[in-house]
Every structure is written in structure tokens, then in C-alpha cells.
């Protein structure tokens, strides 16, 4: 079992950068794929990025490809989402998740953090 806590959200201007962190507890953290999702008011939770347990494979939604980078440091039990060139449409609550595969559906993940708010002003 894994427990996840996100941090690093905030209010920024369009074009700025932000790095989100996801601190995990649990002895088997390094065996899980990690994903980032986001949810804006009135919308469904959507896939943002995912990374394999060893960091060898990364996957991105088309809307963030080239702007966001997912990474992990298993020694620190932490996953990251580096967000560059932020746009107002990136505004959402961002969630990290852990699961057996680096897939794109919310149902593919077993554990979720509480979320952190990212707001991008124009």
C-alpha cells in the first residue's frame, strides 16, 4: 500500500513554470508506476502524464506534451511534475496516483493523493 501527498501548487502567470511534488510512503513505492491527473471545475479528471517504476518510460497527454515533464526519484520516494510555459487552461487541481501500469485512465490507478491547486492567470 502507498500513501501519496502532493505539494507545490500555487498561483502563477501564463508562461511561468511550476514544479509539483508527490511524496510517497510505503516500502514498495519503487515498484509502482506513477501518474499525474488534473481536474478543472465542471470537468472530468483527465490524464496528464505517467512514468514507469524505473523511469524508463514516460507518457503525456497531447495537451501538455513538450511543456510538462514527469520524473521520479525512488531514493526519495518522490515523483515530480515540472510544468513549463503554463497556460490558463492548465488551471486545475492536480493529483498524483500510483498503480501497476503507466496507463491513462483513472481506473488504472489504485492510490491517490489529496490534490494541489494550480491556477494560471493570463
Amino acid at each position: 500500500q502507498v500513501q501519496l501527498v502532493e505539494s507545490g501548487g500555487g498561483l502563477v502567470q501564463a508562461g511561468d513554470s511550476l514544479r509539483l511534488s508527490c511524496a510517497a510512503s510505503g516500502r514498495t513505492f519503487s515498484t509502482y508506476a506513477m501518474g499525474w491527473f488534473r481536474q478543472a471545475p465542471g470537468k472530468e479528471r483527465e490524464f496528464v502524464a505517467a512514468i514507469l517504476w524505473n523511469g524508463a518510460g514516460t507518457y503525456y497527454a497531447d495537451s501538455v506534451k513538450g511543456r510538462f515533464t514527469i520524473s521520479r526519484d525512488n531514493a526519495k520516494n518522490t515523483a515530480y511534475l515540472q510544468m513549463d510555459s503554463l497556460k490558463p487552461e492548465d488551471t486545475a487541481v492536480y493529483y498524483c496516483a500510483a498503480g501497476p501500469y503507466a496507463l491513462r485512465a483513472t481506473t488504472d490507478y489504485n492510490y491517490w493523493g489529496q490534490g494541489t491547486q494550480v491556477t494560471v492567470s493570463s
Side-chain angles (χ1 to χ4, degrees):
Q1 190 171 3
V2 177
Q3 294 78 45
L4 307 172
V5 179
E6 304 96 333
S7 62
L11 174 63
V12 298
Q13 289 186 295
D16 284 352
S17 296
L18 203 60
R19 188 176 78 158
L20 305 183
S21 298
C22 177
S25 62
R27 293 182 296 172
T28 59
F29 168 77
S30 63
T31 70
Y32 286 87
M34 298 295 298
W36 285 96
F37 292 77
R38 65 187 183 187
Q39 187 167 23
K43 295 187 177 181
E44 294 184 351
R45 191 168 299 186
E46 67 173 345
F47 171 80
V48 175
I51 187 168
L52 293 176
W53 68 272
N54 61 356
T58 57
Y59 310 92
Y60 298 93
D62 289 342
S63 60
V64 307
K65 192 175 299 182
R67 299 188 297 119
F68 290 10
T69 304
I70 187 171
S71 62
R72 66 191 298 164
D73 186 340
N74 288 348
K76 296 183 177 181
N77 287 347
T78 303
Y80 305 94
L81 184 68
Q82 177 67 41
M83 303 183 292
D84 298 323
S85 301
L86 283 163
K87 304 175 180 179
E89 52 262 43
D90 295 319
T91 296
V93 176
Y94 283 71
Y95 300 88
C96 67
Y101 310 104
L103 300 177
R104 296 172 179 264
T106 58
T107 52
D108 294 322
Y109 294 84
N110 305 114
Y111 307 104
W112 294 84
Q114 84 289 350
T116 185
Q117 177 71 46
V118 173
T119 302
V120 185
S121 63
S122 59

